[in-house]
Amino acid sequence: MQALKHRIATNLAAFPRLAQDRGDLRRAAVAILISPVRDQPTYALTRRSLTMRRGAGNYALPGGGAEPGEDAAATAIRKTAEELGVALPPDAALGLLDDFVTLSGHVVTPVVLWSDKPLALRPDPVEVHAAWLVPLAELDHLRAPRHVTPLLGGEATLRMRVRGRWINPPTTAWLYQFREVALHGRWTRVGAVGQPAWTAR
């Protein structure tokens, strides 16, 4: 696990990430939270509460809007605590991926967080319907990513295989870029990945 931690941190430090300075959009962050389960690396994935006003039932990474004066790492750490009951120190942040503009009107910064210790998830039912620690190896599924062209036209979406099903952007864009950049050292951009129209609601 320590060798993996070093590789991820090194790749993120070398990556020339793209920042979006969009004062007209709200800032947000998501956490790609890595932790061990029986000495194997996993990442945290949630399914949003079925009663939420926006994004009900969507598969998502822990995250949300930034508070005034809060940087992306602090936002990701705070939202991880609020949604999953996992408290992490500031040095849990290993680095950032590209800012991503969502159809919902946010500039989202993916933050890679690391825990050396196994985690017990305690999802907040107000925000999270279910949460899992998914083996990191699943990101390298042989058929992922899957590129899907919408029947009514528009930009192709990108799907990743997660827990036996294909899930949609924007979550898949962040997982794919994490796989390519942090795990494999391949400088891959995902800003042009199409997003399903229903993610704007």
Side-chain angles (χ1 to χ4, degrees), residues 19-196:
Q20 296 275 353
D21 185 15
R22 294 284 301 273
D24 58 321
L25 299 179
R26 294 165 287 179
R27 304 295 309 191
V30 293
I32 301 174
L33 171 59
I34 312 302
S35 66
V37 173
R38 294 184 292 276
D39 295 323
Q40 296 301 311
T42 68
Y43 70 93
L45 181 75
T46 76
R47 189 178 183 201
R48 293 167 66 86
S49 170
L50 303 182
T51 59
M52 295 189 78
R53 183 175 62 86
R54 300 183 68 173
N58 289 353
Y59 289 90
L61 298 169
E67 294 183 346
E70 190 176 55
D71 65 19
T75 299
I77 289 171
R78 174 177 57 81
K79 292 302 295 181
T80 297
E82 292 174 359
E83 294 183 12
L84 298 179
V86 172
L88 296 169
D91 63 3
L94 296 186
L96 312 177
L97 294 168
D98 285 344
D99 286 350
F100 187 92
V101 178
T102 68
L103 294 182
S104 62
H106 291 82
V107 175
V108 180
T109 304
V111 182
V112 180
L113 303 179
W114 182 278
S115 172
D116 288 318
K117 299 178 181 179
L119 299 176
L121 304 184
R122 297 181 297 278
D124 175 4
V126 175
E127 297 193 65
V128 179
H129 175 70
W132 308 271
L133 294 171
V134 183
L136 210 59
E138 286 193 9
L139 295 178
D140 281 319
H141 188 281
L142 290 176
R143 294 170 59 200
R146 174 184 287 178
H147 298 272
V148 179
T149 301
L151 294 176
L152 300 178
E155 295 174 310
T157 63
L158 178 152
R159 293 180 180 172
M160 293 289 285
R161 187 76 169 173
V162 174
R163 303 188 71 250
R165 62 194 313 158
W166 295 96
I167 68 171
N168 292 291
T171 298
T172 57
W174 303 323
L175 290 176
Y176 176 57
Q177 190 178 50
F178 169 77
R179 184 188 86 174
E180 294 297 289
V181 171
L183 297 183
H184 299 307
R186 299 189 286 249
W187 296 171
T188 300
R189 306 296 182 187
V190 293
V193 168
Q195 301 169 63

